[in-house]
């Protein structure tokens, strides 16, 4: 417990007044050795001395005033331009609309051609594989077994192509051909597949024509309902090292294009007859069914026997987003079989869920998916009550496992409710039979014709062929053939898609004229970001699309919620707000002012936003028409000038098209200089704005060296370096040798000190960050520096801007000594130890003479230690102060010097968590005896076949053994996507001086805390702790992996964020023919295909890790 006494405040009640009086008495009473805790006015005096010293050094060496003068003197070399937010947003939105419109034209051309080619195609029953010429993208794929030996590839008649490197695709391609990818579990020699290959071959000419019209086109893809993918240009398939299970029909972009949004209730029979292998099949089926849902869909999962109950904490339909589906997948694994079957309980629960209109849902296709091992009840009365005669809910039934039950009732349920009946006898049938329901949902779309041909743009996802982050425009392709009675075909042929790389969209957005803290962003109807500087997924090739909500990309508040809603509604607007932001290094929180401006991107699902701080309303545009001056300033970039003018780091920007980028700034500078010897800053291949500003800032910072830095002795003030960084991309560090220890980003816009200095007034201290595990620091061999920086604010013609940041780097050890002197009672004439105190002559302790009894520290606004009078603290400079003195940091937090902000990072990666059942067989699996294994009859039995499939497919499906997804390109356990919990501390609004007692019984501590004016520092003086009784709970600042179910999805779904689904729904057509509703097993691949697949899987059995899910295309 801490009692506080703020300066200048009067306690309104007597108990508080008594507490204050007790505190004053404690402060005044001298200790036994003759020293008393410093009085408040004394510590305020020390604080003023510290403020004056800091200000004096920055005025002498920072050169803020001098730099302002230099800019004014060179006023003829630049113009001050204005960023007009509404005009910028309008222009960028129009440019993005034009870019996507070009892709839409190509997409429609492809979809129309595909329907035409298929309609003209004549089915061939006797077609042979050797009759078809195509490039099999997996023909040259080499799969390795766990021992590193190559597995013999299947013989192929694939075309042999040559490929050349292409910068646009970041891989080798062939523009003369398209490539074909066929899922491993589909027999490519079947009649259906061969006919599909035959008619889709004509698409190659359309692909090529599209590229001629628009050379910027990236992947053009046709995903067929049969599983065949034909994409252009041709390139070898990027398969995992063991086995490839990519199926285009399970990709989010295909699912989104193939059907309207869905409200789905999955009910699972968990009666006593469903045991062992059958229950495991059901769990895996649900897992795979969930993967056919996208963020436009809503779902709930329930189990039933005599009663029905949800498998998770979700009591109603919830959005089928990544996090909700993960909850379902985890909880489905806990289902236990017991009791008797009551279909009525299951279906009544499902219909009640679908009739609940008080929740957010898709409000389009409604369906019930029932997994059971069989039963006799048809529950006709339930359907009559809830679904007939309109039949607005489709019912799909799945007979799971190998059994002798009569399946007629299950067939009847599906056929009587516009659904479909499927059989899943073994795990090999799961994938295909949990996705074919999409063909049924596609019927109303096909029958709707052109009205249903709506181009949709997907979420962001990682391209399977290496393009990085992309979005895809999709368009369904319909079967236009008619039968002998002129009835329309109602099957969807597939989905056409064209990729657009996010980098191509980013190139249309302004960057450097917006300043370090201005940016453009875009969101979709779900509120997910398409563009945002914080969209930085760490996992490559993971299964799900990248779905980062705008309110998770930034720190959420009411203003941003309203902005997000307005953008989703397709409105335009502008708002000036005060908000919190994280620093680039995610260690600090700043309260800032921003102007948000937004407008819809017409003809798309997206809305564009622009964020500008007040000081970025104007920016500098250099105009170096004097070529002699260009050459003069350019010479200051040459390394031979560094010794006298200081080292120059240049931001690694794309100044010219032919400039080779490099992470090594010395190498990048060499590349830049070499290129500048060949071209001029006004060359058409260069960005004149970037180049002119860079050269101007080179000259301006050199003048700062001449006028300020060269004339000063840095050692006199214990400085390791002085520096200046500019919007133009220059960071000049003086003297040259200081560059050896310079650890900041060469791109000022990516440097935390730069961005924070712009947003905060005064001097911003930045100690070197040390995590909690940092323990040792050899101060003799490693000189540690503390950055102090401040922004240079210009006012030109009434226009305010901040084009640069200047600062110094303090020598930690020397300034720690200086800190002790400044926070002491001796004057410049006093010598250490000249003062004497005894029991008869008391005097106040200070931070120098009494450092064994008094702790004096400077802590920054994030709670990190900057300076201390304790030598054993010096190696802890840069640590969160709770790691240094948990008791004192807790007191500061409890007395409202600091506020705390907790948030989540949904884009993190973590090492995979150890599975408790690693190496063990799945629960509920039948284990044969030795007698079984020796029996030929057993090996020919259904039990052996099911167990064999269970074993082989289990090596492939991560869901068969575990629910944790593994990302990566190989069978090895890699880092996985995870949620990290972040905690940042920042100054509250308290600016008063505080004296307080940390009440620990006989071990109470006194402390004083005061903000230093014009800095981000808190000055704290405290008694050293006398005993361990004063220990308190340590405040945590380090990022940690969020515990399971944190954030609590069960609570979040009850207050869902605002979103909108697609505006058109196709779930009904009066002419739909529902007679095809399933009459038996639909999974019947050839024996050769199944054996080939299982032999491949058998090779992978030596691996201990499950195969990762296929990447998105």
């Amino acid at each position: 417990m801490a009692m506080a006494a703020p300066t200048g405040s009067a306690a309104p009640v007597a108990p508080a007044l008594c507490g204050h009086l007790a505190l004053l008495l404690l402060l005044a009473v001298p200790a036994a050795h003759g020293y008393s805790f410093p009085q408040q006015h004394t510590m305020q005096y020390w604080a003023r001395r510290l403020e004056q010293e800091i200000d004096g050094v920055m005025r002498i060496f920072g050169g803020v005033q001098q730099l302002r003068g230099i800019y004014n003197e060179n006023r003829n070399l630049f113009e001050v331009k204005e960023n007009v937010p509404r005009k910028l947003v309008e222009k960028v939105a129009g440019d993005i609309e034009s870019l996507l419109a070009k892709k839409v034209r190509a997409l429609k051309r492809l979809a129309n051609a595909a329907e035409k080619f298929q309609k003209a195609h004549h089915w061939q029953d006797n077609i042979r594989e050797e009759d078809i010429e195509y490039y099999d993208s997996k023909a040259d794929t080499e799969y390795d077994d766990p021992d590193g030996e190559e597995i013999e590839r299947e013989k192929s008649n694939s075309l042999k192509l040559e490929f050349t490197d292409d910068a646009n695709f970041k891989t080798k391609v062939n523009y003369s051909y398209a490539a074909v990818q066929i899922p491993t579990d589909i027999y490519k020699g079947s009649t259906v597949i061969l006919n599909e290959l035959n008619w889709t071959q004509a698409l190659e000419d359309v692909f090529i024509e599209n590229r001629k019209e628009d050379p910027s086109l990236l992947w053009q893809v046709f995903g067929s309902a049969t599983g065949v993918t034909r994409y252009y240009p041709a390139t070898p398939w990027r398969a995992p090292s063991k086995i490839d299970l990519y199926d285009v029909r399970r990709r989010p972009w295909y699912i989104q294009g193939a059907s309207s949004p869905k409200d789905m209730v999955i009910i699972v029979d968990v009666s006593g007859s469903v045991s062992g292998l059958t229950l495991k099949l059901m769990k895996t089926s649900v897992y795979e069914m969930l993967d056919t849902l996208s963020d436009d869909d809503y779902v709930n999962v329930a189990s039933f026997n005599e009663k029905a109950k949800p498998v998770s904490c979700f009591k109603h339909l919830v959005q089928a987003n990544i996090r909700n589906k993960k909850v379902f997948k985890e909880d489905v694994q806990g289902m236990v079989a017991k009791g008797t079957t009551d279909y009525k309980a299951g279906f009544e629960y499902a219909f009640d869920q679908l009739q609940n209109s008080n929740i957010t849902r898709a409000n389009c296709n409604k369906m019930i998916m029932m997994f059971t091992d069989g039963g006799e009840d048809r529950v006709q009365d339930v359907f009559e009550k809830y679904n007939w005669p309109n039949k607005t809910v489709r019912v799909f039934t799945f007979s799971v496992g190998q059994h002798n039950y009569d399946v007629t009732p299950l067939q009847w349920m599906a056929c009587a409710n516009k659904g479909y009946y499927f059989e899943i006898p073994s795990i090999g049938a799961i994938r295909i039979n949990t996705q074919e329901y999409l063909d049924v949902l596609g019927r109303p779309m096909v029958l709707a014709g052109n009205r249903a041909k709506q181009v949709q743009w997907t979420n962001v996802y990682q391209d399977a062929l290496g393009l990085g982050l992309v979005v895809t425009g999709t368009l369904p392709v319909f079967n236009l053939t008619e039968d002998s009675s002129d009835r329309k075909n109602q099957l969807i042929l597939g989905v056409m898609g064209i990729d657009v790389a996010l980098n191509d969209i980013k190139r249309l957005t302004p960057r450097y004229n917006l300043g370090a803290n201005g940016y453009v962003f875009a969101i979709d109807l779900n509120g997910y970001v398409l563009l945002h500087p914080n969209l930085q997924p760490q996992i490559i090739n993971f299964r799900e699309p990248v779905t980062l909500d705008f309110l998770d990309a930034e720190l959420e508040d009411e203003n941003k919620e309203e902005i997000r809603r307005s953008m989703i509604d397709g409105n335009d607007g502008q708002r000036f707000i005060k908000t919190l932001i994280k620093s680039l290094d995610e260690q600090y929180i700043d309260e800032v002012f921003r102007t948000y401006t937004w407008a819809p991107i017409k003809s798309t699902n997206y809305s564009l936003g622009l964020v500008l701080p007040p000081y970025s309303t104007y920016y500098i545009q250099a105009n170096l028409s004097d070529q002699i001056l260009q050459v003069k300033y350019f010479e200051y970039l040459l390394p031979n000038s560094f010794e006298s003018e200081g080292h120059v780091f240049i931001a690694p920007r794309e100044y010219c098209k032919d400039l080779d980028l490099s992470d090594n700034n010395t190498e990048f500078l060499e590349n830049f200089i070499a290129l500048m010897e060949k071209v001029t800053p006004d060359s058409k291949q260069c960005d004149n704005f970037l180049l002119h500003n860079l050269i101007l800032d080179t000259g301006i910072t050199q003048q700062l060296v001449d006028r300020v830095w060269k004339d000063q002795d840095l050692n006199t003030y214990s400085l390791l370096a002085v520096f200046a960084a500019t919007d133009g991309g220059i960071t000049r560090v003086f003297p040259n040798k200081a560059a050896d220890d310079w650890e900041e980003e060469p791109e000022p816009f990516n440097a935390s000190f730069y961005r924070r200095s712009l947003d905060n007034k005064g001097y911003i201290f930045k100690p070197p960050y040390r995590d909690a595990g940092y323990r040792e620091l050899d101060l003799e061999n490693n000189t540690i520096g503390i950055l102090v920086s401040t922004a240079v604010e210009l006012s030109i013609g009434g226009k305010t801007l901040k084009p640069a940041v200047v600062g110094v780097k303090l020598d930690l050890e020397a300034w720690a000594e200086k800190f002790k002197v400044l926070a002491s009672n001796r004057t410049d004439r006093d010598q250490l130890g000249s003062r004497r105190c005894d029991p008869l002559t008391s005097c106040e302790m200070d931070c120098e003479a009494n450092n064994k009894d008094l702790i004096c520290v400077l802590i920054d606004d994030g709670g990190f230690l900057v300076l201390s009078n304790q030598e054993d603290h010096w190696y802890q400079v840069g640590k969160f102060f709770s790691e240094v003195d948990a008791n004192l940091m807790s007191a500061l937090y409890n007395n409202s010097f600091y506020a705390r902000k907790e948030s989540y990072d949904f884009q993190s990666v973590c090492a995979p968590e150890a599975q408790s059942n690693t190496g063990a067989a799945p629960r509920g699996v039948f284990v044969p005896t030795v007698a079984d294994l020796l029996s030929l009859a057993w090996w020919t039995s259904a039990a052996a076949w099911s167990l064999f499939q269970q074993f082989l497919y289990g090596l492939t499906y991560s869901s068969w053994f575990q629910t944790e997804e593994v990302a990566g390109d190989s069978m090895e356990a890699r880092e996985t996507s995870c949620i990290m919990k972040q905690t940042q501390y920042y100054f509250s609004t308290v600016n008063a001086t505080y004296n307080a007692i940390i009440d620990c019984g006989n071990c109470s501590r006194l402390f004083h805390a005061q903000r230093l004016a014009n800095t981000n520092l808190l000055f704290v003086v405290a008694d050293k702790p006398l005993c361990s009784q004063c220990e308190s709970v340590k405040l945590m600042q380090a990022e940690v992996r969020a515990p399971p179910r944190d954030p609590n999805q069960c609570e979040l779904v009850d207050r869902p964020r605002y979103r909108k689904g697609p505006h058109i729904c196709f779930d009904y057509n009066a002419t739909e023919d529902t007679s095809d509703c399933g009459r038996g097993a639909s999974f019947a691949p050839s024996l050769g295909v199944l054996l080939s697949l299982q032999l491949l899987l058998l090779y992978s059995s030596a691996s201990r890790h499950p195969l990762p899910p296929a990447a998105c295309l």
Side-chain angles (χ1 to χ4, degrees):
M1 176 181 176
M3 297 192 301
T7 300
S9 62
V13 291
L17 180 59
C18 293
H20 292 178
L21 290 173
L23 175 59
L24 293 174
L25 288 172
L26 282 169
L27 292 172
V29 174
H33 48 53
Y35 289 101
S36 63
F37 192 80
Q39 295 292 316
Q40 182 169 298
H41 65 82
T42 301
M43 292 178 282
Q44 289 175 333
Y45 169 67
W46 295 345
R48 285 195 297 274
R49 291 176 69 178
L50 289 167
E51 291 165 358
Q52 291 167 2
E53 184 71 13
I54 294 166
D55 185 64
V57 169
M58 289 298 290
R59 284 181 181 275
I60 294 171
F61 291 94
V64 173
Q65 295 294 343
Q66 294 90 334
L67 196 54
R68 285 196 189 112
I70 293 170
Y71 272 106
N72 284 320
E73 291 171 15
N74 291 277
R75 182 66 185 82
N76 63 312
L77 300 181
F78 63 87
E79 299 177 67
V80 176
K81 295 287 189 177
E82 183 179 3
N83 285 314
V84 182
R86 290 186 184 275
K87 288 185 178 179
L88 284 174
V89 169
E90 182 181 346
K91 181 184 184 306
V92 175
D95 290 344
I96 295 176
E97 179 190 356
S98 298
L99 171 72
L100 299 184
K102 291 173 68 177
K103 315 306 176 188
V104 168
R105 288 195 293 271
L107 191 61
K108 289 181 176 180
R109 190 179 299 116
L110 278 168
N112 291 334
E115 291 173 348
K116 174 184 174 183
F117 294 151
Q118 194 275 338
K119 186 175 183 180
H121 173 257
H122 297 289
W123 180 270
Q124 301 179 45
D125 287 321
N126 300 319
I127 193 170
R128 298 175 302 169
E129 192 169 357
E130 51 267 29
D131 297 333
I132 308 296
E133 281 193 352
Y134 68 98
Y135 171 66
D136 182 353
S137 62
K138 296 196 291 185
D140 297 323
T141 301
E142 295 183 0
Y143 296 103
D144 297 334
D145 73 5
D147 297 323
E149 297 179 5
E150 182 182 340
I151 297 174
E152 183 177 353
R153 294 196 301 268
E154 181 183 355
K155 292 183 179 179
S156 172
N157 295 319
S158 171
L159 295 172
K160 304 300 180 183
L161 304 182
E162 294 183 357
F163 302 94
T164 56
D165 287 317
D166 189 277
N168 291 331
F169 288 91
K170 303 176 184 177
T171 188
K172 294 178 179 293
V173 300
N174 184 309
Y175 281 111
S176 300
Y177 294 89
V180 170
Q181 189 273 351
I182 301 174
T184 307
D185 53 352
I186 291 180
Y187 176 42
K188 61 186 179 183
S190 71
T191 304
V192 171
I193 298 300
L194 292 177
N195 275 276
E196 192 84 10
L197 292 173
N198 193 15
W199 76 259
T200 58
Q201 189 170 2
L203 289 173
E204 291 196 359
D205 291 337
V206 187
F207 287 146
I208 293 171
E209 285 301 316
N210 274 345
R211 181 178 177 271
K212 287 180 180 178
E213 183 173 311
D214 180 7
S216 68
L217 276 179
L218 297 176
W219 300 121
Q220 303 175 64
V221 188
F222 174 60
S224 166
T226 62
V228 173
T229 304
R230 190 180 284 271
Y231 61 91
Y232 176 87
T235 190
W237 187 250
R238 289 192 175 191
S241 60
K242 296 295 186 294
I243 187 171
D244 174 38
L245 286 180
Y246 178 95
D247 189 325
V248 69
R249 297 167 297 180
R250 302 188 73 84
R251 300 279 52 83
W253 67 267
Y254 181 94
I255 294 169
Q256 179 175 313
S259 64
S260 292
K262 302 175 279 294
D263 286 324
M264 177 187 291
V265 179
I266 301 172
I267 54 176
V268 185
D269 179 0
V270 291
S271 60
S273 62
V274 180
S275 60
L277 179 58
T278 301
L279 181 59
K280 192 67 179 178
L281 288 172
M282 288 185 180
K283 291 178 180 179
T284 308
S285 297
V286 173
Y287 192 105
E288 295 296 325
M289 179 67 74
L290 289 169
D291 280 342
T292 68
L293 303 177
S294 72
D295 290 81
D296 288 333
D297 303 321
Y298 283 75
V299 65
N300 203 355
V301 182
S303 61
F304 71 92
N305 37 43
E306 299 94 341
K307 295 181 179 180
K309 62 179 182 179
V311 299
S312 71
C313 58
F314 301 143
K315 306 305 180 186
H316 52 73
L317 291 171
V318 297
Q319 187 181 14
N321 58 37
I322 294 172
R323 298 200 286 277
N324 288 340
K325 287 193 289 187
K326 184 177 181 180
V327 171
F328 282 127
K329 290 176 180 180
E330 291 172 351
D331 291 344
V332 159
Q333 301 304 316
M335 292 190 305
V336 177
K338 60 181 179 180
T340 58
T341 304
D342 184 355
Y343 286 157
K344 185 175 183 179
F347 277 108
E348 285 186 336
Y349 177 89
F351 279 114
D352 287 340
Q353 290 278 298
L354 293 171
Q355 289 183 351
N356 184 357
S357 59
N358 296 323
I359 58 168
T360 305
R361 56 182 185 174
N363 285 318
C364 192
N365 285 295
K366 298 178 179 62
M367 67 203 67
I368 298 171
M369 325 297 274
M370 183 180 72
F371 294 90
T372 180
D373 62 343
E376 298 179 358
D377 190 2
R378 299 191 178 199
V379 289
Q380 181 171 338
D381 56 332
V382 175
F383 298 132
E384 289 175 348
K385 177 181 178 181
Y386 289 97
N387 205 36
W388 293 354
N390 295 327
K391 300 182 181 180
T392 56
V393 177
R394 297 182 188 268
V395 175
F396 296 86
T397 55
F398 298 81
S399 174
V400 183
Q402 298 190 354
H403 49 75
N404 296 319
Y405 297 124
D406 180 13
V407 298
T408 303
L410 298 181
Q411 294 174 340
W412 179 87
M413 290 181 197
C415 295
N417 292 279
K418 297 172 65 176
Y420 209 92
Y421 165 73
F422 298 97
E423 290 182 1
I424 303 179
S426 63
I427 194 171
I430 290 176
R431 277 172 63 89
I432 193 166
N433 283 326
T434 53
Q435 69 192 24
E436 287 203 337
Y437 77 93
L438 292 171
D439 290 343
V440 177
L441 299 190
R443 292 172 184 169
M445 291 180 64
V446 177
L447 295 172
N450 289 332
R451 287 192 306 114
K453 291 185 178 180
Q454 303 288 327
V455 175
Q456 296 187 67
W457 290 96
T458 67
N459 299 127
V460 178
Y461 66 91
Q462 290 278 1
D463 173 51
L465 293 173
L467 276 181
L469 294 178
V470 300
V471 293
T472 299
T474 65
L475 195 61
V477 179
F478 301 150
N479 189 329
L480 301 183
T481 59
E482 298 175 350
D483 61 18
S484 55
S485 57
D486 294 333
R487 281 192 309 178
K488 287 184 178 180
N489 193 298
Q490 55 186 17
L491 290 179
I492 187 168
L493 291 177
V495 177
M496 199 69 71
I498 287 184
D499 289 346
V500 179
L502 284 199
N503 284 335
D504 290 341
I505 300 178
K506 286 179 182 177
R507 290 190 186 100
L508 302 176
T509 65
R511 176 65 182 100
Y512 298 106
N513 61 300
L514 302 181
N517 290 317
Y519 57 91
V520 171
F521 70 97
I523 66 173
D524 65 14
L525 295 179
N526 277 301
Y528 298 146
V529 293
L530 163 74
L531 298 174
H532 198 285
N534 294 335
L535 178 63
Q536 298 175 353
Q538 302 300 307
I539 286 288
I540 304 300
N541 287 340
F542 65 123
R543 189 172 189 174
E544 300 282 0
V546 181
T547 53
L548 178 66
D549 196 283
F550 169 65
L551 297 178
D552 293 324
E554 305 194 359
L555 292 177
E556 182 176 356
D557 59 36
E558 290 184 3
N559 283 314
K560 291 176 184 174
E561 287 181 15
E562 293 172 7
I563 291 169
R564 176 182 177 275
R565 175 183 285 267
S566 179
M567 294 179 73
I568 290 173
D569 285 340
N571 301 323
D572 55 15
Q574 186 175 72
R575 183 175 292 190
F576 182 70
I577 67 173
K578 182 166 70 174
T579 188
L580 297 179
I581 63 167
K582 290 181 191 176
S583 63
L584 197 64
D585 55 15
E586 299 185 325
Q587 304 299 324
Y588 299 91
I589 296 286
D590 289 315
E591 188 176 60
V592 301
F593 290 96
R594 294 287 188 266
T595 297
Y596 280 73
T597 309
W598 62 93
I601 303 174
K602 296 176 183 178
S603 304
T604 73
N605 311 331
Y606 305 129
S607 182
L608 186 79
L610 170 67
V611 181
L612 269 185
Y615 50 81
S616 291
T617 301
Y618 300 97
Y619 64 95
I620 284 176
Q621 179 172 302
N623 182 20
L624 296 177
S625 56
D626 186 340
Q627 294 187 357
I628 296 176
L629 192 61
Q630 287 183 14
V631 173
K632 177 184 175 182
Y633 283 178
F634 179 76
E635 288 177 351
Y636 296 129
L637 284 175
L638 302 178
N640 58 19
S641 70
F642 290 176
E643 196 59 41
S644 61
E645 310 300 328
H647 192 99
V648 175
F649 297 92
I650 67 170
R653 301 173 181 176
E654 294 184 22
Y655 300 101
C656 298
K657 293 180 180 178
D658 295 334
L659 178 60
D660 293 329
L661 299 178
S662 172
D663 292 333
N664 183 300
N665 201 255
T666 300
E667 182 178 319
F668 178 70
L669 180 59
E670 291 173 354
N671 296 342
F672 177 80
I673 292 171
L675 183 62
M676 287 298 100
E677 291 174 350
K678 301 175 184 178
V679 300
T680 68
D682 298 312
S683 170
K684 291 184 179 180
Q685 65 165 296
C686 296
D687 187 319
N688 305 138
F689 170 76
L690 289 184
L691 268 180
H692 278 253
N693 278 25
L694 179 79
I695 295 173
L696 173 67
D697 286 354
T698 303
I700 283 179
T701 55
Q702 186 278 330
Q703 293 176 47
L704 182 64
V705 176
D706 275 351
R707 297 189 189 186
V708 182
W709 297 346
K710 280 185 178 180
D711 297 334
Q712 302 293 341
D713 182 6
L714 303 186
N715 293 328
T716 303
Y717 289 86
S718 305
L719 303 182
L720 299 175
V722 287
F723 60 90
T726 71
D727 276 0
I730 291 293
T731 301
R732 189 180 292 274
V733 180
F734 185 87
N736 184 38
K737 64 179 182 180
D740 296 339
D741 299 318
W742 188 256
E743 297 179 350
E744 305 304 318
E745 288 286 338
E747 169 58 82
F749 285 16
N750 292 339
S752 182
F753 82 86
Y754 191 87
R755 295 172 67 158
R756 295 203 69 219
S757 296
L758 295 174
D759 273 328
N760 293 277
K761 293 182 179 179
Y763 308 123
I764 304 303
F765 282 69
K766 179 181 178 291
Y769 175 68
R770 310 290 184 199
D771 60 29
Y774 190 86
R775 285 288 177 265
E776 297 180 1
L777 180 64
D778 185 357
L779 288 174
E780 294 182 1
N781 298 325
N782 295 278
T783 303
I784 301 303
I786 297 170
L787 288 189
V788 188
S789 58
T790 188
V792 178
E793 185 174 295
L794 299 182
S795 182
I796 300 175
K799 301 172 182 177
T800 302
L801 61 159
K802 296 180 180 180
V805 168
V806 295
V808 301
K809 193 173 186 181
L810 309 179
D811 184 327
L812 168 62
E813 190 171 356
W815 269 78
E817 293 294 339
K818 182 177 293 192
F819 169 59
K820 289 194 291 184
V821 173
L822 293 171
S824 73
N825 294 322
R826 72 177 170 111
T827 65
D828 294 337
R829 293 173 295 179
D830 292 335
Q831 297 298 317
L832 183 62
S834 63
R835 291 168 293 118
R836 294 287 183 269
C837 289
D838 55 50
L840 299 178
T841 308
S842 67
C843 58
E844 294 176 286
M845 292 188 288
D846 67 35
C847 300
E848 180 186 30
N850 307 97
N851 60 355
K852 293 183 179 180
D853 303 302
L854 204 62
I855 293 177
C856 303
V857 293
L858 291 178
I859 311 171
D860 71 15
D861 57 328
F864 297 95
L865 179 62
V866 176
L867 284 175
S868 174
N869 71 332
Q870 306 293 310
E871 286 194 27
D872 60 343
H873 284 178
W874 292 355
Y875 75 88
Q876 301 187 80
V877 164
K879 280 189 177 182
F880 185 59
F881 192 59
S882 193
E883 299 291 338
V884 182
D885 192 329
N887 174 249
L888 187 51
M889 185 63 198
S890 293
L892 294 172
Y893 174 69
N894 292 333
N895 280 275
S896 300
F897 279 99
Y898 286 94
R900 179 167 60 192
K901 184 71 176 179
E902 293 181 341
S903 58
Y904 296 90
D905 180 0
F906 295 99
Q907 304 178 92
S908 295
V909 293
C910 300
E913 294 180 325
Q915 298 294 316
S916 59
N917 60 341
T918 299
R923 288 174 293 178
V925 175
F926 167 72
V927 179
T929 65
V930 174
D932 288 329
L933 296 174
L934 296 177
S935 168
L936 179 62
W938 184 85
W939 278 104
T940 60
S941 71
W945 178 243
S946 292
L947 181 62
F948 185 55
Q949 285 195 333
Q950 170 182 299
F951 171 70
L952 293 174
Y953 279 87
L955 296 170
T956 301
Y957 290 112
S958 60
S959 58
W960 189 245
F961 287 105
Q962 59 186 39
T963 58
E964 183 72 24
E965 290 190 8
V966 179
D969 291 336
S970 72
M971 299 283 287
E972 300 301 320
R974 299 285 181 87
E975 292 177 320
T976 63
S977 59
C978 63
I979 301 172
M980 299 296 287
K981 188 173 185 178
Q982 296 182 339
T983 305
Q984 289 91 10
Y985 292 80
Y986 59 101
F987 284 154
S988 67
T989 55
V990 174
N991 289 310
T993 298
Y994 267 71
N995 287 315
I997 302 173
I998 304 173
D999 188 2
C1000 301
N1002 294 329
C1003 298
S1004 296
R1005 298 175 67 185
L1006 296 171
F1007 79 90
H1008 167 90
Q1010 178 175 340
R1011 292 268 294 273
L1012 293 189
N1014 210 36
T1015 73
N1016 65 326
L1017 297 179
L1018 182 69
F1019 176 43
V1020 183
V1021 180
D1023 282 328
K1024 271 196 172 182
L1026 300 176
C1027 58
S1028 60
Q1029 291 180 18
C1030 249
E1031 292 182 357
S1032 59
V1033 177
K1034 182 189 292 186
L1035 297 177
M1036 302 303 294
Q1037 187 274 337
E1039 185 179 61
V1040 296
R1041 186 167 186 168
R1045 304 295 169 90
D1046 186 16
N1048 192 330
Q1049 287 297 114
C1050 305
E1051 296 177 359
L1052 292 178
V1053 295
D1054 289 328
R1055 49 179 193 279
R1057 287 170 172 166
Y1058 182 71
R1059 65 173 295 276
K1060 278 188 174 180
H1063 61 283
I1064 295 181
C1065 169
F1066 297 96
D1067 62 341
Y1068 171 79
N1069 191 290
T1071 63
E1072 179 184 348
D1073 179 8
T1074 62
S1075 61
D1076 180 12
C1077 54
R1079 288 291 183 268
S1082 60
F1083 179 76
S1086 73
L1087 181 61
V1089 174
L1090 203 51
L1091 287 177
S1092 299
L1093 172 63
Q1094 292 179 334
L1095 285 173
L1096 277 172
L1097 288 165
L1098 185 59
Y1099 273 108
S1100 69
S1101 64
S1103 172
R1104 293 177 127 187
H1105 306 289
L1107 183 71
C1112 294
L1113 180 62

